[in-house]
Amino acid sequence: MQYRRHYQKGATYFFTINLADRSSDLLIKEVETLRHAFQTVKQKHPFHIDAIVILPDHLHMLCTMPNNDADFSKRIKLIKYYFSYNIAKTESISSSRLKKSERGIWQRRFWEHCIRNESDYRAHIDYIHMNPIKHGYVKQAKDWQYSSFHRFVTDGLLPINWGG
């Protein structure tokens, strides 16, 4: 059975994007390269990041697409590409990836969920901001620096002591 993605112009989506090596801490070690990849893609293909958390081996983000565009797959593909292009080739690469001239950094696919309503939106923001606690990296959301949680606090949307 072929997986079919749901594309809706102007919709908000929750994404999970994983490294191929789930024991890696590459996203934290190369966080500035990842940020640059996001900036590059956003300049060419705008979208709004409502919330995000970068963990060592995966990231979660909530994004809103422009009203005239729904192609989130292109954006994620380009983020992965720009990130991969700008880091050293140290990862192991399977023979199937070698045949396709692919790097071995990212899992080939990603997970997406189209946000249905305000409570779904809020639940996914909470999930994003709680994720470093869930994985045992910190005891409080405020202690994880690679999270939009800090923007939410600055904007008065969450208290500093939220989440632990």
Side-chain angles (χ1 to χ4, degrees), residues 37 51-52 70 87 101 105 113 118 137 157 162:
I52 190 167
I87 61 170
S101 300
I105 296 172
H113 165 77
E118 186 63 33
Y137 295 118
L157 301 171
W162 180 92

Side-chain angles (χ1 to χ4, degrees), residues 29-161:
K29 285 193 327 193
E30 295 287 346
V31 72
E32 289 307 317
T33 305
L34 184 61
R35 285 179 176 146
H36 183 70
F38 271 93
Q39 290 167 354
T40 301
V41 173
K42 285 179 72 176
Q43 286 172 356
K44 296 177 182 181
H45 306 281
F47 64 99
H48 181 262
I49 298 174
D50 299 59
I52 190 167
V53 66
I54 312 291
L55 298 164
D57 64 339
H58 70 286
L59 64 90
H60 299 290
M61 64 179 170
L62 194 64
C63 298
T64 301
M65 300 300 297
N67 289 331
N68 62 346
D69 191 351
D71 196 354
F72 56 78
S73 291
K74 176 193 286 185
R75 288 162 173 84
I76 291 175
K77 179 180 178 180
L78 288 171
I79 290 165
K80 288 178 172 183
Y81 169 78
Y82 287 121
F83 179 79
S84 300
Y85 182 80
N86 287 296
I87 61 170
K89 294 182 180 182
T90 59
E91 75 278 6
S92 61
I93 303 173
S94 69
S95 59
S96 67
R97 286 183 188 252
L98 274 174
K99 287 177 189 174
K100 296 177 182 180
S101 300
E102 293 179 358
R103 298 277 310 259
I105 296 172
W106 299 99
Q107 286 185 2
R108 283 191 173 130
R109 304 205 183 271
F110 59 89
W111 192 83
E112 105 278 347
H113 165 77
C114 186
I115 300 299
R116 296 180 299 268
N117 54 41
E118 186 63 33
S119 64
D120 192 28
Y121 182 82
R122 186 77 228 154
H124 282 84
I125 288 175
D126 290 350
Y127 180 84
I128 286 168
H129 293 151
M130 287 296 291
N131 216 249
I133 298 167
K134 173 187 167 191
H135 287 284
Y137 295 118
V138 293
K139 299 234 185 274
Q140 295 183 306
K142 70 179 180 178
D143 296 329
W144 190 253
Q145 69 184 82
Y146 310 108
S147 173
S148 58
F149 172 76
H150 305 284
R151 178 172 42 96
F152 277 67
V153 171
T154 300
D155 292 348
L157 301 171
L158 289 173
I160 191 69
N161 61 349

